[in-house]
Amino acid sequence: DAGVIQSPRHEVTEMGQEVTLRCKPISGHNSLFWYRQTMMRGLELLIYFNNNVPIDDSGMPEDRFSAKMPNASFSTLKIQPSEPRDSAVYFCASTMNPLHEQYFGPGTRLTVT
Amino acid sequence: GENVEQHPSTLSVQEGDSAVIKCTYSDSASNYFPWYKQELGKRPQLIIDIRSNVGEKKDQRIAVTLNKTAKHFSLHITETQPEDSAVYFCAASRRTGTASKLTFGTGTRLQVTL
């Protein structure tokens, strides 16, 4: 298996633009997680899905952030409009069972100027 | 919700020495405690985990201990090597229905010097 796949790996955009990050979990995994990592705030859980259903989105910082999982093999995290403080590395992770290893993707480094 | 505190934030040891990282958690119902290692510019990767029915687990040079009464757990790395230099994150989780989420500590930057 190729592991968790994220795209793009790097994104540079201007303030006010819409940004869409994409994730393909490992086949057979039924839980998917979106994290944001910054020096100041560390690794934060934004939202997670179980069987394509959002379970907990309490970590989503603002209404500018939204996430979808239309099927078991694809999820998106959208920021509209983007702001410089959204600059971070965004990780997607998946797991096949609760209380088991989460496998992280390579991350998307987002820079908003 | 769960709160995980991790100490120290930075740790420098000489090659061959031991390193210990400590975490505390707040939710007494948490029952899964993984440790992740993140090398510079890379993704976090699981190095060891422990469940609440076990007090200690060891894998070669790495060991984790859990004290449920005190709600703390620790990572021990013996005979440290330069390749152990990375940021280490502890986390805690409990199952809720068919799903669970990890709450991560703030990370410990370990530097192993020659």
Side-chain angles (χ1 to χ4, degrees):
Chain A
D1 200 313
V4 176
I5 298 172
Q6 290 186 248
S7 65
R9 295 292 308 276
H10 302 272
E11 177 81 28
V12 180
T13 191
E14 290 186 347
M15 178 178 170
Q17 297 298 306
E18 177 179 297
V19 174
T20 299
L21 311 181
R22 297 173 176 80
C23 175
K24 177 178 167 55
I26 293 173
S27 177
H29 285 191
N30 60 2
S31 293
L32 182 142
F33 306 80
W34 282 101
Y35 293 93
R36 178 173 67 177
Q37 186 174 39
T38 61
M39 288 295 293
M40 291 298 295
R41 300 177 68 88
L43 197 57
E44 302 174 277
L45 176 67
L46 300 177
I47 185 172
Y48 77 100
F49 297 84
N50 190 56
N51 293 324
N52 312 338
V53 176
I55 302 299
D56 185 345
D57 65 354
S58 60
M60 296 286 261
E62 301 170 32
D63 291 345
R64 298 184 297 106
F65 285 69
S66 62
K68 294 181 180 180
M69 191 164 186
N71 58 62
S73 59
F74 184 65
S75 177
T76 59
L77 178 68
K78 187 174 294 188
I79 309 172
Q80 166 64 16
S82 58
E83 296 183 2
R85 59 194 168 119
D86 301 331
S87 298
V89 178
Y90 291 81
F91 287 103
C92 174
S94 70
T95 186
M96 66 169 57
N97 273 319
L99 307 188
H100 280 257
E101 177 177 3
Q102 288 188 16
Y103 293 83
F104 283 75
T108 294
R109 182 173 295 277
L110 173 65
T111 302
V112 183
T113 61
Chain B
E2 175 68 275
N3 182 51
V4 177
E5 295 190 356
Q6 183 172 348
H7 300 282
S9 57
T10 60
L11 179 60
S12 182
V13 300
Q14 285 197 322
E15 182 180 8
D17 288 349
S18 296
V20 180
I21 303 170
K22 298 182 179 182
C23 290
T24 60
Y25 61 98
S26 61
D27 187 351
S28 57
S30 288
N31 53 5
Y32 175 62
F33 308 92
W35 286 86
Y36 283 79
K37 175 183 180 182
Q38 186 177 26
E39 297 177 356
L40 188 63
K42 301 291 182 64
R43 74 193 77 185
Q45 291 188 294
L46 182 78
I47 54 171
I48 194 168
D49 57 13
I50 191 168
R51 289 176 172 76
S52 58
N53 58 344
V54 176
E56 183 174 357
K57 185 176 179 180
K58 191 172 182 179
D59 182 4
Q60 300 184 347
R61 296 185 298 108
I62 295 173
V64 58
T65 58
L66 170 65
N67 184 326
K68 285 207 70 181
T69 303
K71 290 190 284 188
H72 68 69
F73 56 113
S74 301
L75 177 71
H76 304 252
I77 306 174
T78 58
E79 300 172 26
T80 53
Q81 301 167 4
E83 51 265 38
D84 294 329
S85 296
V87 178
Y88 292 81
F89 293 94
C90 63
S93 174
R94 68 180 177 95
R95 184 169 182 160
T96 54
T98 58
S100 69
K101 66 177 184 180
L102 292 175
T103 300
F104 283 89
T106 49
T108 296
R109 184 174 300 278
L110 174 64
Q111 180 71 43
V112 180
T113 58
L114 297 174

